Amino acid sequence: MADGQSFPRAVVLISGRGSNMEALLRADLPVTFAAVISNRLDARGLAIARNLGVETAVVDHREHPSREDFDQALAAEIDLRAADLVILAGFMRVLTDGFVARYQGRMINIHPALLPAFPGLDTHARALAAGVKLHGCTVHFVTPEVDAGPIIAQAAVPVRDDDSVESLAARVLAQEHRLYPMAVRWLAEGRLRLTPEGRVALAGAAPNDATLIAPSD
Ligand code: GRF
């Protein structure tokens, strides 16, 4: 597999900054990154991907009148690349049930909170407002209900009394950049399985595998 030809093909979907995408593209994973696709032409991550030699495409949601139309156009771009895996990395569109079903078990997302706490937006502000002492990020399979899919791995960070949204977001983001490449590697290696009960099984756990990262810093 030295030339990477037999690696699974993945597309990464982004909407903005693309720091998780960059962590994945730089991580030396057993994956062929077939494309990075954004719903926004101004997504900063697009230039980063191109600089790293990865093809990019834009499917502008404003050019598609309905979610169904948008998702069809998006699926066409994904399937054009014969993608095995769909990796959401800060992709800010709610996906239709049909789209989710098409990539079931092959599509994962990273969310900046310890699900099932704080699904949705503004997770860091909500964590601070709630006064939780532990916060973090979650990698999960994508299912029709937003941020509710089976959990693959989580990283937990402490919340400090003097944290701002920015300081807490930065602490979580550093862990996202560790957690997501690890989970994508498992997926690429074919080691992640959804059980009939809707739980996640990780085959052949190696010493470096950590479905929970809990740094003490
Ligand atoms: C990350 O916090 C991710 O967890 C969330 O959106 C943010 C995207 O950041 N889904 P980036 O574009 O990867 O820098």
Side-chain angles (χ1 to χ4, degrees):
M1 301 228 282
D3 60 0
Q5 288 311 300
S6 55
F7 290 164
R9 296 172 63 79
V11 296
V12 184
L13 306 188
I14 65 167
S15 296
R17 179 177 57 182
S19 71
N20 276 288
M21 172 214 75
E22 182 172 5
L24 293 172
L25 298 190
R26 290 188 183 279
D28 193 23
L29 296 169
V31 168
T32 297
F33 286 104
V36 168
I37 304 175
S38 172
N39 64 306
R40 299 179 58 109
L41 186 58
D42 61 358
R44 275 193 282 151
L46 289 172
I48 298 170
R50 285 193 291 267
N51 285 337
L52 290 170
V54 177
E55 183 181 322
T56 62
V58 175
V59 181
D60 189 335
H61 60 274
R62 293 167 309 181
E63 290 174 7
H64 298 277
S66 68
R67 278 194 199 284
E68 284 73 20
D69 281 355
F70 172 75
D71 282 5
Q72 272 191 17
L74 185 60
E77 288 291 333
I78 293 169
D79 295 347
L80 188 66
R81 273 89 184 177
D84 304 298
L85 310 175
V86 179
I87 301 168
L88 309 189
F91 187 66
M92 304 301 286
R93 301 295 300 172
V94 174
L95 297 162
T96 57
D97 290 3
F99 184 94
V100 171
R102 186 184 192 103
Y103 302 108
Q104 190 182 12
R106 304 191 283 136
M107 180 160 64
I108 65 174
N109 181 46
I110 188 159
H111 179 75
L114 291 175
L115 292 171
F118 311 120
L121 301 175
D122 301 322
T123 56
H124 307 308
R126 287 159 60 210
L128 287 177
V132 295
K133 300 299 181 192
L134 205 58
H135 187 43
C137 54
T138 302
V139 177
H140 62 93
F141 280 108
V142 177
T143 54
E145 193 184 340
V146 174
D147 299 332
I151 292 171
I152 295 167
Q154 295 185 303
V157 303
V159 180
R160 302 223 174 89
D161 288 346
D162 61 353
D163 263 330
S164 62
V165 168
E166 291 72 27
S167 65
L168 183 55
R171 192 174 306 123
V172 172
L173 192 65
Q175 298 308 316
E176 293 186 43
H177 296 165
R178 293 175 66 187
L179 191 72
Y180 215 9
M182 191 174 67
V184 170
R185 175 180 295 280
W186 298 338
L187 190 65
E189 290 173 346
R191 295 170 53 199
L192 281 176
R193 187 173 60 88
L194 272 173
T195 71
E197 298 78 35
R199 300 182 72 86
V200 177
L202 174 64
N208 286 336
D209 292 343
T211 55
L212 171 64
I213 293 177
S216 56
D217 55 337

